[in-house]
Structures are given as structure tokens and as C-alpha cells.
Amino acid sequence: MPKMFQLTAILLLAGVSLPAAAQNESKREIVVTARSLNDTEADLKACLARKCPPDQDIKATLAHAENQFVEGDYRDARATLANALGRNRKHKEQFPIEVSDLLRANGNVAAHLGESDIYRLSVLDMRDTLKGALKPNDFRVFGAEIEVADSRLKLGYLEEASDKYLEIERRALSAGLPQIAAIARLRDLSLRVQRAETEKTAFRRKDATEAIDLFLKEPTGGAEQFKIVAEVLKSRMDRNGGNNETTDKLIARYAAMGGTERPVLLHSKPIEMNEAQAARAMAGGSDLNRIGTQVVEKRWVDIGFWIGADGKVDEPEILRNQGGTDWTDVVLKSIKTRIYAPLKAEKDGATPGIYAIERYSLTAQYENDVTGTRIRQRSPIAKIERTDLTG
């Protein structure tokens, strides 16, 4: 399954890697191998022409839709996925994993288009497809439930997302799945940290700090390896408060262990809305504030940056873009603040680093009551969606 649409096993520490890259100390070179858009289109057409089985149809569809997405053809990618769902949804009992992958991809692309209802329903359908075909205690069903909670967070329902994470934790513990329980709990801790960073109140800072300290004091039995994630969150809270000591200790610990094979993010300041957007979001309902001021269709950038051996980020750069880039300063500023764990040296002792590429799309959700006319329009509140394009 294409990486961009894949459900990661550890939802908090999903690293980035570049498998098709040749790198050295004197000259950091990148060699990328991938099938072209024409190739994946031909593959899909050939598959359909020979009436290929549903699993092969879905595999070819995902490869082509991913290529369309990477090229910035979001609506074409959505159409490719929607057509495949029309052909294959009826096969969900026989191919639940494949159909759920298709639904997940459909939701991901919809989010970048601002199609929040399609995104929401795709995530729910993905979860229901797995629930209908797998055993209730299958880890993939629990993973899908976590994705549903993630979707509530993405759509702004923070309290509901928190409740869902904690409910999943309780159910996973009852089912004897301590690692799933720990992941759900850590997702809730991450949410609390995000709220502390955005709301900037003493209450939120205290809430996040106490919740993290409790997890560190009483880690989930059978999932002790996830304690490091809570330590990363604690270091993030401390660093936001001006205390760099816990981050420095984590860096030293990873270095003593020989570094990590894949980048592990220890700290990053969030992408912050500019003052005008923040004021517009707070104002909400007045006619003036309910009229969109930005064009958000077909505005995206691919940003590349080196993660050095010491975990520091070199100057990020815009590699490709469609539409204006006046909105990207906040993205570049956030990437510059990232601190990763030190990287593991190669067999020859060299540690050239890893090159990462990330897609950022400026979008806004569609709403039916932006001006009180029931005409579907974009929300005036812009959002930035991110997808990792690293190989």
C-alpha cells in the first residue's frame, strides 16, 4: 500500500525516512525512484480492462491517486478514489483491509480539499468496514477507533476527541491490549499539550503537566516502552516554558544509545495562525467575518529539509508550489524550531542525515451557512493540512 495513505503502527512517533536515497558526508545526494503519473494511470486502466480482482483494482487505484495528489491534482485524485469506491465498496466483506485503505485515502484527500463532511464520513466508514469484518478485539479495529478520535480532533471537537481517546484506553485495557491502551492515552496527552500551547492558560498548562506526570509515574503495564513518548511530551511542555533541560537530557540519552535509525521528533513549535485569522476565528458570526478573504483552492507547497546527525534542521526550502506562497512563513518558522533525536551512524561511521519532504495545503472547510444564504461556500477560517511525502 502506498506510504502516504498507510496507517502507522505507532501514532505518536511516526518517523520519516528516505529509502531511495544515496547520501555521503562530502556531497549529500538524493536519488528518488518512483513510477510516473502516466505509468500509474496506464496500470489502473490495464487493470480495469482485464477486470482485475478488487484487491488489485484498489492497489492500482491507490498508487495512481497518490501520484495525482503529489502532482497537486487533488480533485482528480478524489475522483479516482470515489470511482474505485463505487466499484469496490460492495466487496468490503471479502476485502475489508483493502476497502478500508481506500476509504482512508479518500478521507485524506478530502481533508486537503476542505471537504470536511466527506473526510468525516470516510473515517467512520473505514472504521465500520473493519468492525464489520474483524473480531472486536482486533488491534486494527482499535486503530481505526483511534483514527475516528483523531478526526474529531482535526475537526475541532476537542472535548469529544479526549473522551474518545480515554474510552478507547479503557476498552483496550479490558481487552488485554496494553499497547493500544497506551497509544490512546498518549494521544490524549498530546491533545492536552496542544491545548496548552494554543490556549496559553495556566489551567491548560497545569492540566497537561499533571496528566503527563501521572502517566510517567504509573505507565501502562505491558507497554512500558511508550514511556519515552510521554517524556518527549514533557520535554516539549518544559521547553515551551523556557526550560530546555529535559530536552537536552533526552538528546544525550539517544546519543548514548547510538542514535535512532529514523527521526524521532523531540520538540517543535506549532504552526500558529496569524493575528488576522485568529481574530476572525474568535469573531465567528458577524457578516463581515463570515465572508472568506483568501483563495484556498489549489494552494500547496512541498517543503524539503535536511535533518542533521545532531537532530537539528537545516534551512527548509520550498521545492514546488501551486498558487501563492505568502501563507507559508508560519510553516517554515515552525519547521525551523524542530529538534529531533540524534541519528544513528552508518556502517562506515558517517551520519549524513535524512532529507524529508512534506506537503502543506492551504484550505478551508466548506460550509452551508457562511453568509446565511445556504449556498455552500468556504469558511473564512483557513487551515493548513500536512502530509508526509518522504519516501
Side-chain angles (χ1 to χ4, degrees):
M1 177 176 49
K3 178 181 180 294
M4 187 185 77
F5 296 141
Q6 187 175 12
L7 171 62
T8 52
I10 299 178
L11 300 175
L12 279 167
L13 288 181
V16 292
S17 60
L18 195 64
Q23 308 167 347
N24 57 64
E25 284 288 291
S26 60
K27 182 180 179 181
R28 296 192 291 194
E29 180 185 3
I30 303 172
V31 181
V32 178
T33 57
R35 292 182 62 76
S36 71
L37 185 63
N38 288 338
D39 286 342
T40 55
E41 181 180 19
D43 289 347
L44 178 56
K45 286 182 176 178
C47 181
L48 297 179
R50 68 173 185 272
K51 296 182 172 23
C52 58
D55 55 336
Q56 295 179 23
D57 178 353
I58 293 172
K59 182 178 179 180
T61 293
L62 289 173
H64 186 48
E66 180 172 0
N67 262 353
Q68 290 175 310
F69 179 90
V70 170
E71 288 302 311
D73 300 329
Y74 291 3
R75 295 205 175 276
D76 288 345
R78 250 283 294 153
T80 297
L81 294 164
N83 289 337
L85 281 168
R87 295 191 301 270
N88 295 293
R89 193 187 291 267
K90 60 180 175 289
H91 301 298
K92 64 182 181 180
E93 293 183 2
Q94 185 180 3
F95 297 100
I97 306 302
E98 290 81 1
V99 173
S100 70
D101 289 341
L102 199 56
L103 287 161
R104 184 179 293 112
N106 189 56
N108 185 61
V109 175
H112 281 262
L113 283 167
E115 297 281 4
S116 56
D117 283 343
I118 295 173
Y119 165 67
R120 175 178 60 84
L121 293 173
S122 293
V123 175
L124 291 173
D125 285 350
M126 176 274 301
R127 187 270 315 272
D128 292 344
T129 296
L130 293 175
K131 282 183 68 175
L134 304 176
K135 294 180 179 179
N137 290 346
D138 191 293
F139 73 93
R140 288 167 292 191
V141 174
F142 277 95
E145 293 284 10
I146 291 176
E147 287 187 82
V148 171
D150 290 344
S151 72
R152 303 313 290 164
L153 171 59
K154 182 190 285 284
L155 293 171
Y157 300 98
L158 307 186
E159 296 293 343
E160 183 181 339
S162 180
D163 289 344
K164 283 184 177 294
Y165 289 135
L166 297 179
E167 177 193 356
I168 294 166
E169 180 194 21
R170 289 191 294 270
R171 288 172 46 211
L173 287 173
S174 298
L177 297 170
Q179 295 190 356
I180 293 292
I183 291 172
R185 175 80 169 279
L186 289 164
R187 292 298 292 163
D188 179 64
L189 295 182
S190 179
L191 168 54
R192 291 170 192 264
V193 171
Q194 291 176 48
R195 297 192 74 171
E197 290 174 337
T198 56
E199 297 179 26
K200 299 181 179 4
T201 65
F203 171 78
R204 289 298 173 196
R205 287 193 294 272
K206 183 173 182 290
D207 175 69
T209 300
E210 289 181 349
I212 293 169
D213 288 344
L214 178 61
F215 184 88
L216 290 172
K217 183 180 178 181
E218 302 174 2
T220 305
E224 289 79 5
Q225 70 269 35
F226 288 98
K227 185 177 178 180
I228 185 67
V229 185
E231 292 176 346
V232 169
L233 291 172
K234 183 172 178 60
S235 73
R236 180 169 152 186
M237 286 293 298
D238 289 346
R239 196 173 186 89
N240 289 337
N243 177 9
N244 298 341
E245 184 178 351
T246 49
T247 302
D248 293 341
K249 286 182 178 178
L250 276 175
I251 292 172
R253 189 193 307 178
Y254 276 112
M257 293 188 299
T260 63
E261 294 184 358
R262 300 173 63 189
V264 174
L265 184 63
L266 301 180
H267 174 76
S268 175
K269 290 187 176 179
I271 297 173
E272 296 183 349
M273 296 170 62
N274 62 41
E275 292 183 5
Q277 278 290 327
R280 192 173 295 275
M282 291 294 291
S286 71
D287 289 342
L288 178 62
N289 281 286
R290 299 298 290 167
I291 298 175
T293 59
Q294 298 195 65
V295 176
V296 294
E297 187 82 12
K298 296 183 179 180
R299 297 190 71 179
W300 55 265
V301 294
D302 289 341
I303 296 178
F305 55 94
W306 280 100
I307 303 169
D310 59 359
K312 295 181 179 179
V313 173
D314 281 0
E315 191 71 18
E317 59 180 337
I318 296 176
L319 304 177
R320 297 194 309 160
N321 68 281
Q322 186 172 20
T325 60
D326 54 305
W327 55 277
T328 59
D329 287 351
V330 291
V331 178
L332 295 167
K333 181 180 178 181
S334 174
I335 294 174
K336 290 176 185 177
T337 69
R338 293 184 187 179
I339 299 174
Y340 291 87
L343 295 173
K344 186 176 182 179
E346 302 291 339
K347 291 181 180 179
D348 60 2
T351 312
I354 291 177
Y355 196 73
I357 302 174
E358 297 176 348
R359 164 69 55 86
Y360 292 87
S361 303
L362 181 67
T363 188
Q365 293 182 10
Y366 280 104
E367 297 180 353
N368 293 324
D369 60 346
V370 174
T371 58
T373 62
R374 294 188 177 278
I375 298 174
R376 198 173 84 119
Q377 296 183 25
R378 295 277 192 180
S379 164
I381 303 171
K383 297 176 61 178
I384 296 175
E385 294 285 343
R386 171 191 172 275
T387 293
D388 180 18
L389 296 185
T390 309

